[in-house]
Amino acid sequence: MEGLKSVPNPTEYPDPETADHVTYNPSLDALREFSSRLETTTEYGAPSYVSEYRSRSADRTENAVNADFDADDLAVFEEGLNWVTDPSNDIVCVDRVVGRHPDSSYVCRLYLPKEYGRIALSWAKLLEPAEDREPDFVTVQLPDATKEPKIRIHPEAGVTTVLGSDYTGEAKKSFLRLFMLRAKEQGGLGLHVGSKRVTLNDEAGKREVGQLFLGLSGTGKSTLTSHGLWLDDPEGVEMIQDDVCALLPSGTVAGSEGGGLYIKTIGLDGDEQPELYSAATNDSAVLENVAVDEDGSVHFDEPRYGRNARAVVRRDHLESSADGIDLESVDQVFFITRNPLMPPVARLSTEQAAVAFMLGESIETSAGDPSKAGESIRVVGTNPFIVGSEGEEGNRFRDLIANLDVECYVINTGAVGTDDPADVGVEETVSILEGVARGSIDWTYDETLDLTVPSDVPGIDVEQFSVPDRVQDFEAVQAELREERLTYLDQFNDLNDDIRDATY
């Protein structure tokens, strides 16, 4: 690590307020104008852009904690600093703040070529204007610097340099990755989650239930987080956050993005997702890699530019969006899976929840590796942005939910079974989420599954979702799955044995 002292810290970059070649904190209209030649204006009046890179370059991203940086890695940071310093470059610099909580709030500074103002436009709409203070984190993104992307992060310095990619997600995640790391350094844990507050008023009285949803991008996290559960006043749902939060030791779930959401738009449906659809068809949205004709017609169902089409939508155009971005306390955590060997929902012990966290069973999406979209995948914490030991993340998660007495569940939003599978539809999922929130589900231990599953869910015929009845040679298949899970967990040397031993 000795050579890493040459990495600049955020205060060593030129002062954007005094550098003549830097346009500092321009208006949103100005950022849009900088990329006007690249814009197609939608029928709703919103800008739409097509990027060369349409997903994160995860396989070309390294950080100085998980990798041993050499001179070539350090040269990436030097290239970024030299570019920002060179007075011949036309640069745009935007400051925004990630988080509002006093213990989890950071000023973030993004440097870009002015012609890529569209990236800054999207990113700026996700966050809120920064306080008048020096930056905690700096990202330099140079889309034309290399033929192949190269992304390097120095977590201690708080600096990221992105070479060769023009994907907006690289800018967004460069800051959220460090936000999550700082939470862990403070004794909490950064989570790739959506958060919501459910207000109930029934026989049990009036109360609020805080819920978190863990899932990879594209697996339904945004949909479940924003869904109103069809509750009527005085009951209701508030969407708090959509993507990244920090679970603090106090139990508070600190949000990160106060301005907007970066949602996937393939298949966006006005009937099933009315709020998200309305926000994405507002002139305040910014579309990226969405199928938009020259006349501005928008086709959310067409993967013209791949399946990772996106839209930045504003929180103030979502009726269910809360004013705040922090959840005062969390009561329930849901792990979203599409594993057909899992029931629609199962209630987990503390150790089983840590197993679910470590397994992170999901499907690959176009946001990660488009070439493998739809394939089964395991990602610890369904969080591809972990810096440091993944096993320690599992231990920390277990300790936090145990100390805070949080209920945990795994929820299957796909299909149950491999032979004559039963689809878990929106109505079933909503009934489950409402039942869990109200505490109206009857539970029983299923020895075959080694899980606690529902024996009765109001509004659902749970018998149709019996996993053993829909999987041929279930016992053999289940045994093979458990062995796979154990083998997978064996790679995490730092993971506590009692977590591994709870594998279901």
Side-chain angles (χ1 to χ4, degrees):
M1 298 288 287
E2 189 68 25
L4 296 179
K5 292 180 179 178
S6 62
V7 175
N9 67 54
T11 60
E12 292 180 56
Y13 289 81
D15 184 351
E17 293 189 83
T18 59
D20 292 337
H21 64 299
V22 178
T23 302
Y24 181 53
N25 280 337
S27 67
L28 297 177
D29 287 340
L31 289 173
R32 181 173 178 177
E33 180 61 30
F34 296 158
S35 294
S36 59
R37 67 181 182 82
L38 303 173
E39 175 186 324
T40 299
T41 305
T42 72
E43 59 190 298
Y44 312 109
S48 177
Y49 308 98
V50 177
S51 60
E52 180 180 356
Y53 285 86
R54 292 163 191 168
S55 63
R56 288 178 291 100
S57 300
D59 59 339
R60 298 180 181 276
T61 302
E62 298 285 356
N63 71 75
V65 172
N66 295 90
D68 294 324
F69 277 10
D70 57 20
D72 289 340
D73 297 304
L74 297 176
V76 173
F77 299 106
E78 183 178 6
E79 183 171 349
L81 178 60
N82 290 341
W83 177 83
V84 174
T85 306
D86 187 343
S88 67
N89 292 321
D90 205 0
I91 298 173
V92 63
C93 175
V94 177
D95 285 354
R96 285 293 186 270
V97 63
V98 167
R100 293 181 189 169
H101 193 278
D103 296 331
S104 293
S105 176
Y106 305 93
V107 173
C108 305
R109 179 165 290 171
L110 175 64
Y111 290 98
L112 283 162
K114 184 181 285 188
E115 64 187 289
Y116 287 97
R118 63 172 178 81
I119 297 175
L121 173 65
S122 294
W123 179 72
K125 287 197 171 193
L126 291 170
L127 303 172
E128 297 170 297
E131 306 166 18
D132 185 17
R133 72 177 199 236
E134 292 296 320
D136 299 291
F137 307 141
V138 163
T139 293
V140 179
Q141 185 166 358
L142 306 178
D144 298 327
T146 57
K147 290 184 178 180
E148 296 292 338
K150 183 180 288 188
I151 297 100
R152 295 294 180 267
I153 306 110
H154 192 286
E156 183 179 354
V159 172
T160 301
T161 302
V162 179
L163 304 182
S165 174
D166 64 340
Y167 179 56
T168 298
E170 297 289 7
K172 169 184 160 74
K173 289 301 184 184
S174 71
F175 298 109
L176 296 185
R177 180 188 290 113
L178 296 177
F179 169 85
M180 289 191 283
L181 174 62
R182 295 295 185 261
K184 183 165 59 175
E185 292 171 346
Q186 295 168 357
L189 195 62
L191 297 172
H192 185 217
V193 297
S195 60
K196 71 194 297 181
R197 181 187 299 111
V198 182
T199 300
L200 300 173
N201 188 12
D202 53 22
E203 294 83 357
K206 187 171 184 179
R207 62 199 186 280
E208 292 181 346
V209 180
Q211 297 181 334
L212 300 183
F213 296 86
L214 284 82
L216 287 179
S217 298
T219 57
K221 177 164 56 66
S222 296
T223 300
L224 297 187
T225 302
S226 62
H227 200 289
L229 304 182
W230 300 318
L231 299 178
D232 296 321
D233 189 62
E235 298 187 323
V237 169
E238 289 181 295
M239 187 279 296
I240 311 293
Q241 285 284 272
D242 171 68
D243 192 24
V244 166
C245 298
L247 176 58
L248 305 180
S250 65
T252 295
V253 183
S256 59
E257 296 175 298
L261 287 67
Y262 190 50
I263 66 170
K264 287 176 68 71
T265 59
I266 288 292
L268 189 61
D269 187 284
D271 293 327
E272 292 194 0
Q273 301 156 292
E275 278 200 85
L276 293 179
Y277 184 88
S278 177
T281 53
N282 188 277
D283 63 4
S284 64
V286 181
L287 276 56
E288 182 179 48
N289 301 322
V290 176
V292 179
D293 298 336
E294 290 185 8
D295 65 0
S297 299
V298 179
H299 308 280
F300 289 128
D301 57 345
E302 181 187 335
R304 188 181 304 175
Y305 305 110
R307 301 199 64 83
N308 193 32
R310 294 276 184 167
V312 171
V313 300
R314 298 287 292 172
R315 288 176 61 89
D316 52 12
H317 288 283
L318 294 167
E319 289 186 11
S320 67
S321 177
D323 292 334
I325 65 172
D326 298 337
L327 187 63
E328 294 78 8
S329 62
V330 56
D331 301 289
Q332 299 165 348
V333 171
F334 296 87
F335 298 92
I336 303 172
T337 186
R338 298 282 177 86
N339 188 334
L341 299 182
M342 294 298 291
V345 66
R347 190 173 66 187
L348 306 174
S349 68
T350 298
E351 282 69 31
Q352 285 178 326
V355 170
F357 179 90
M358 291 301 300
L359 292 175
E361 290 181 337
S362 190
I363 58 169
E364 181 62 89
T365 71
S366 48
D369 186 345
S371 67
K372 298 180 180 179
E375 296 181 11
S376 297
I377 187 175
R378 291 188 174 117
V379 179
V380 174
T382 62
N383 180 7
F385 313 102
I386 291 174
V387 176
S389 164
E390 293 177 314
E392 287 297 338
E393 293 261 330
N395 298 336
R396 176 71 59 82
F397 178 80
R398 189 274 310 273
D399 293 344
L400 284 169
I401 63 171
N403 291 338
L404 298 170
D405 195 24
V406 177
E407 301 172 9
C408 292
Y409 304 84
V410 59
I411 185 166
N412 184 353
T413 60
V416 172
T418 55
D419 300 280
D420 188 25
D423 289 331
V424 183
V426 175
E427 291 189 12
E428 287 83 7
T429 299
V430 170
S431 295
I432 289 168
L433 294 179
E434 182 181 352
V436 170
R438 293 190 188 279
S440 60
I441 296 178
D442 293 331
W443 300 92
T444 184
Y445 174 70
D446 187 312
E447 185 175 353
T448 306
L449 294 175
D450 193 21
L451 289 169
T452 300
V453 299
S455 57
D456 181 72
V457 179
I460 299 181
D461 175 14
V462 293
E463 292 185 2
Q464 67 175 311
F465 295 108
S466 170
V467 181
D469 292 344
R470 294 184 179 273
V471 177
Q472 190 173 1
D473 298 325
F474 172 77
E475 290 187 5
V477 173
Q478 179 76 346
E480 182 181 358
L481 175 63
R482 188 173 189 275
E483 192 61 35
E484 284 181 7
R485 286 169 167 167
L486 288 169
T487 300
Y488 174 79
L489 294 177
D490 282 341
Q491 69 182 293
F492 303 107
N493 296 327
D494 295 333
L495 185 67
N496 289 345
D497 289 341
D498 57 343
I499 294 176
R500 180 191 180 279
D501 293 343
T503 302
Y504 44 85

